[in-house]
Amino acid sequence: MSLTPPILDWPAQPLRDRVVVITGGAQGVGRGIAQSVLGAGGSVMIADLDADAGKACLKEWALPERAAFQRADVASERSVQALMKATLKRFGRIDGLVNNAGIASAHGTPLADMPVAEWQRRLSSLHGAFLCSKHALPALREHTGAIVNIASTRAWQSEPDSEAYAAAKGGLVAFTHALALSEGPAVRVNSISPGWITTDAWQAPSRRRTPKLSRRDHAQHPVGRVGQPPDIGALAVFLLSDLAGFITGQDHIVDGGMTRKMIYAE
């Protein structure tokens, strides 16, 4: 037996023959992840409350054999169960789950004035990750699958009046490492914490806009630009693939280096 370490081949399409469910997958970061998975050879079931946006994705992608849409509310267990059932009926398997759906805005009502209903609504991304993971796990275990939870850099730093959003995203990070220990080695679980990602051009056709970004917006990032959905999609593909087979229970910050900056008041 040779002890010489081999030079490993890198797969050109690391998700070929894999099926990935992506919640909130019709617009924004979710759409960027879906298109990255398709580009990596995988098939996608995108789930979203916006049926028009979902149908627009399928029309623009024109990949009927590898892309499907299911209207779903991740806050409803019955809806989530229907989503997983529809995915298995359409594709016959589930290899990956991306828990992306949730409220995009970090700012809400000040905590002292916040109604309980708003607090609960803003925790929907955490609740949805629980429900989707719960009902995808039986299928994921069959194929040594992977889960990627989309958290936020707000799990690690904050601005005023963002307590509910920060709690949801911080909860997702903790949920990630807890579930990774419970489900390993059958299922790997990781999270991604995006920073500033511009999604204006990644909405439904009627809502697309050219991003209004200044030179200063770009320059404040150590990499020299604001992020885009494919920046998150590229890491999601890696974490869903066998290339990340030794990575689980981790949060991965993708923010152009912003959280590493020391900033002083002028």
Side-chain angles (χ1 to χ4, degrees):
M1 178 179 177
S2 173
L3 295 179
T4 303
I7 297 175
L8 301 179
D9 292 330
W10 284 64
Q13 292 190 310
L15 296 181
R16 181 179 292 278
D17 300 325
R18 308 287 179 91
V19 176
V20 180
V21 177
I22 304 168
T23 66
Q27 302 184 89
V29 168
R31 178 171 178 150
I33 293 172
Q35 292 189 192
S36 297
V37 170
L38 290 169
S43 298
V44 298
M45 171 64 84
I46 56 171
D48 207 289
L49 279 171
D50 191 329
D52 291 335
K55 293 173 183 177
C57 285
L58 300 187
K59 182 178 180 180
E60 292 179 337
W61 296 338
L63 293 169
E65 294 183 357
R66 294 199 291 125
F69 170 73
Q70 173 85 2
R71 188 181 185 279
D73 178 3
V74 299
S76 163
E77 187 162 23
R78 180 176 296 180
S79 184
V80 168
Q81 287 175 302
L83 167 63
M84 301 309 167
K85 184 177 179 179
T87 304
L88 291 171
K89 181 178 180 179
R90 175 66 181 273
F91 295 109
R93 60 190 289 160
I94 299 174
D95 301 274
L97 168 66
V98 178
N99 288 311
N100 169 70
I103 295 174
S105 173
H107 297 284
T109 305
L111 191 67
D113 303 316
M114 182 177 289
V116 172
E118 181 180 345
W119 173 267
Q120 293 174 330
R121 182 172 62 87
R122 287 184 166 273
L123 291 178
S124 61
S125 60
L126 180 57
H127 185 65
F130 153 65
L131 287 177
C132 290
S133 299
K134 173 184 176 180
H135 291 290
L137 277 170
L140 290 170
R141 290 173 185 145
E142 291 183 16
H143 301 286
T144 316
I147 296 173
V148 175
N149 297 315
I150 305 302
S152 169
T153 50
R154 300 304 180 98
W156 304 105
Q157 57 183 28
S158 294
E159 291 180 295
D161 301 328
S162 62
E163 290 84 2
Y165 186 86
K169 297 305 185 178
L172 272 173
V173 172
F175 177 73
T176 293
H177 59 69
L179 188 60
L181 294 184
S182 298
E183 290 300 321
V187 178
R188 292 183 301 103
V189 188
N190 290 285
S191 61
I192 300 175
S193 286
W196 184 352
I197 308 295
T198 180
T199 61
D200 303 72
W202 293 78
Q203 304 302 319
S206 63
R207 295 192 291 274
R208 285 178 193 160
R209 302 288 185 272
T210 300
K212 295 181 179 179
L213 299 170
S214 68
R215 184 175 299 178
R216 184 179 181 182
D217 292 333
H218 291 295
Q220 66 180 303
H221 291 76
V223 298
R225 65 173 177 85
V226 173
Q228 299 180 24
D231 294 318
I232 307 305
L235 181 55
V237 165
F238 173 72
L239 292 173
L240 290 165
S241 77
D242 291 340
L243 294 170
F246 197 56
I247 302 173
T248 195
Q250 305 300 315
D251 183 59
H252 305 265
I253 294 176
V254 183
D255 69 344
M258 283 288 287
T259 53
R260 291 304 186 190
K261 294 176 66 174
M262 293 182 67
I263 299 175
Y264 297 91
E266 297 181 356

